[in-house]
Amino acid sequence: MSAATSYLKNLDYSVVQQCMHCGMCLPTCPTYDATKLERNSPRGRIALMRAIADDRLEATKAFADEMYFCLGCLACMTACPAGVNYAELFEHARAEAERVGVLKTPKRSFIRWFTVGWLFMDLRRLHLLGLVLRLYQQLGLQTLIRRSGVLKLMPNRLRELEAMTPQVQPKFSADLIAPVTRALGQRRYRVAMLTGCAQDLVFSDVNRDTVEVLAHNGCDVITPPEQSCCGSLHAHNGEWELAQELARRNIDQFPPEQFDAIITNAGGCGSHLKHYSHLLEHDARYIKRAELWDAKVKDIHEWLAQIGIEPPRANGAAPLHVTYHESCHLCHGQKVTAQPRQVLRAIGNVQLTELPESMWCCGSAGIYNITQPEMAGELLERKVKYIKSTGARVVATGNPGCMLQVENGCRAAGMNVRVAHPVTLLAEAYRGE
Ligand code: SF4
Ligand code: SF4
């Protein structure tokens, strides 16, 4: 899984040397905010990466730990006046950490092989795991085990992870969505729909809602029942070659020439999907199609705002008090900020209250809440405090990781709020619910 040559030394030097050390990004960085240590800041991390690229420093365990302490939230990119491409630096830095193997232990290697290298490389395997988990939950075994007190015998960390296990949906996307869904009324566009990996297991209902909303807005929607992971998990965890393999697979399965748009409803996936041309820049066979692919990938909110949102019919429903939490990779990674609010405002009875610090990471950050539970917990507490301050009954957010994290946080705080994807709220309005 690892390359023989250094990822950071091979990275285009114009990306490595962009940072002018101004420090404008520091106040927006959640890890720097927590520790006030330069090494935990974007500027500090970039300095470490550059030192390695310049051969002034070896990639040590301390370097690797630092790269995994970074959330990859990309808030620093939004703040940076010099246009530093932190996303690219960060992915290469983690790949470097994996290449030199300074974090390697037998347990870590097994977990990485099982998840990143096996489970998420073929979604049929993930579905199988989802089916087992669904049975475990539907047969009441989970409730039984939770009530039996057996969990108290387990180490704290395992107990915390068990409590975070999401509820698997009764049906996956392929059972809810036809391979071809025709536009309601006149067809204006032909789009493809990506159903995701974890999204498909835990939020297949959001995928169904997305397809319904697209059809309502004049799109024929093609949703192949068997799909691949987008590869963001792989790219963000230092598995560059596996991410490239998945990018090629997706381009083959969704030929970009055949669609007006390729739709994703997960902020984290979208941010990665829009950069396949970076991943495949040295692949002469794929680069042209990857560039076309990047141009065709659209976040659902972005696409709806672009084609115009058909307003749902007024049905006299009671006002719905909503606040909006921004997925980092939607707002910082894709700069999609106004469009989700447009989607929400299209729903007649929604009263939108702005969430203070709506762009501050909730701590989910891919698998950060599993690998760095303390920092993730602090961020979640901060997020929940602000959600509470709005008094909203619904938190809308456009990324599955954020949905789960915010849901867990609100539940732990004893709050009676619903967490929903903006597209679900729009689909419900179309259905007159
Ligand atoms: S990605 Fe987020 S956590 Fe990492 S350096 Fe940038 S702002 Fe800080
Ligand atoms: S990353 Fe950008 S904002 Fe941060 S110190 Fe470098 S140039 Fe300044």
Side-chain angles (χ1 to χ4, degrees), residues 28-31 41-42 45 70-76 86:
T28 68
C29 173
T31 53
S41 77
R45 288 176 179 131
C70 169
L71 291 143
C73 68
L74 310 184
C76 47
Y86 188 82

Side-chain angles (χ1 to χ4, degrees), residues 181 183 186-194 209-222 256 258-266 270 274 292-310 330 334-343 346 421-423 426 430:
T181 305
Q186 197 197 345
R187 180 188 110 166
R188 295 190 291 150
Y189 303 99
R190 184 173 190 270
V191 304
M193 166 71 191
L194 300 167
D209 295 340
T210 306
V211 171
E212 274 184 33
V213 163
L214 285 164
H216 257 279
N217 285 276
C219 301
D220 274 359
V221 190
I222 313 304
Q258 295 180 11
F259 301 104
D260 294 308
I262 299 161
I263 305 293
T264 168
N265 56 17
K274 288 178 174 176
L292 184 61
W293 165 278
D294 288 359
K296 293 277 176 87
V297 171
K298 300 283 174 196
D299 171 72
I300 180 65
H301 310 94
E302 181 185 20
W303 176 245
L304 289 172
Q306 184 181 323
I307 65 174
I309 307 166
E310 170 80 25
L330 195 53
Q334 300 182 61
K335 311 294 178 221
V336 173
T337 55
Q339 300 92 325
R341 292 172 168 88
Q342 267 173 267
V343 169
H421 197 293
V423 158
L426 183 58
Y430 285 139

Side-chain angles (χ1 to χ4, degrees), residues 58-353:
E58 286 293 308
T60 58
K61 181 170 179 310
F63 166 79
D65 284 340
E66 189 50 57
M67 295 309 125
Y68 278 96
F69 187 50
C70 169
L71 291 143
C73 68
L74 310 184
C76 47
M77 276 180 73
T78 299
C80 178
V84 168
N85 188 345
Y86 188 82
E88 208 171 340
L89 285 164
F90 164 75
E91 286 180 355
H92 281 76
R94 283 203 177 170
E96 184 74 10
E98 295 308 324
R99 185 187 73 83
V100 292
V102 283
L103 295 175
K104 241 185 196 161
T105 62
K107 184 175 152 199
R108 186 175 185 274
S109 298
F110 174 77
I111 294 173
R112 284 178 64 86
W113 166 80
F114 179 71
T115 50
V116 184
W118 190 76
L119 203 56
F120 284 84
M121 285 306 289
D122 183 341
L123 293 186
R124 285 172 301 188
R125 298 170 189 155
L126 190 68
H127 280 161
L128 206 63
L129 182 74
L131 284 172
V132 173
L133 204 54
R134 183 198 284 165
L135 265 181
Y136 170 69
Q137 291 172 341
Q138 281 184 349
L139 295 176
L141 292 174
Q142 187 175 43
T143 319
L144 204 70
I145 285 181
R146 283 181 178 178
R147 282 196 191 141
S148 70
V150 168
L151 291 173
K152 288 199 188 113
L153 304 174
M154 289 164 73
N156 271 354
R157 188 68 200 116
L158 274 181
R159 278 216 307 271
E160 283 163 19
L161 284 176
E162 199 283 336
M164 285 163 66
T165 318
Q167 198 66 33
V168 175
Q169 287 279 312
K171 287 183 176 178
F172 299 145
S173 302
D175 302 321
L176 290 174
I177 305 167
V180 179
T181 305
R182 294 288 172 210
L184 294 178
Q186 197 197 345
R187 180 188 110 166
R188 295 190 291 150
Y189 303 99
R190 184 173 190 270
V191 304
M193 166 71 191
L194 300 167
T195 48
C197 48
Q199 173 87 354
D200 189 16
L201 262 55
V202 185
F203 294 112
S204 52
D205 52 343
V206 176
N207 285 338
R208 180 208 50 212
D209 295 340
T210 306
V211 171
E212 274 184 33
V213 163
L214 285 164
H216 257 279
N217 285 276
C219 301
D220 274 359
V221 190
I222 313 304
T223 317
E226 284 195 7
Q227 303 197 13
S228 295
C229 171
C230 69
S232 68
L233 179 73
H234 305 77
H236 295 164
N237 287 282
E239 295 297 348
W240 199 249
E241 285 76 22
L242 295 182
Q244 287 174 321
E245 188 183 328
L246 289 167
R248 289 187 197 101
R249 241 192 254 171
N250 274 311
I251 292 173
D252 286 341
Q253 181 159 31
F254 297 92
E257 317 74 38
Q258 295 180 11
F259 301 104
D260 294 308
I262 299 161
I263 305 293
T264 168
N265 56 17
C269 303
S271 179
H272 175 73
L273 285 158
K274 288 178 174 176
H275 295 105
Y276 275 2
S277 62
H278 273 308
L279 263 177
L280 302 175
E281 65 186 334
H282 301 300
D283 186 329
R285 260 187 73 216
Y286 276 87
I287 183 62
K288 281 279 162 253
R289 296 179 77 210
E291 281 165 1
L292 184 61
W293 165 278
D294 288 359
K296 293 277 176 87
V297 171
K298 300 283 174 196
D299 171 72
I300 180 65
H301 310 94
E302 181 185 20
W303 176 245
L304 289 172
Q306 184 181 323
I307 65 174
I309 307 166
E310 170 80 25
R313 248 185 261 140
N315 62 1
L320 193 62
H321 189 185
V322 179
T323 193
Y324 176 61
H325 159 65
E326 315 208 31
S327 134
C328 296
H329 281 238
L330 195 53
C331 67
H332 301 304
Q334 300 182 61
K335 311 294 178 221
V336 173
T337 55
Q339 300 92 325
R341 292 172 168 88
Q342 267 173 267
V343 169
L344 291 168
R345 290 204 175 96
I347 308 167
N349 62 327
V350 162
Q351 288 178 352
L352 188 62
T353 299

Side-chain angles (χ1 to χ4, degrees), residues 18-25 42-43 46 79-82 84:
Q18 261 174 330
C19 176
M20 54 187 189
H21 321 294
C22 67
M24 300 274 279
C25 52
R43 187 174 60 186
I46 294 169
C80 178
V84 168

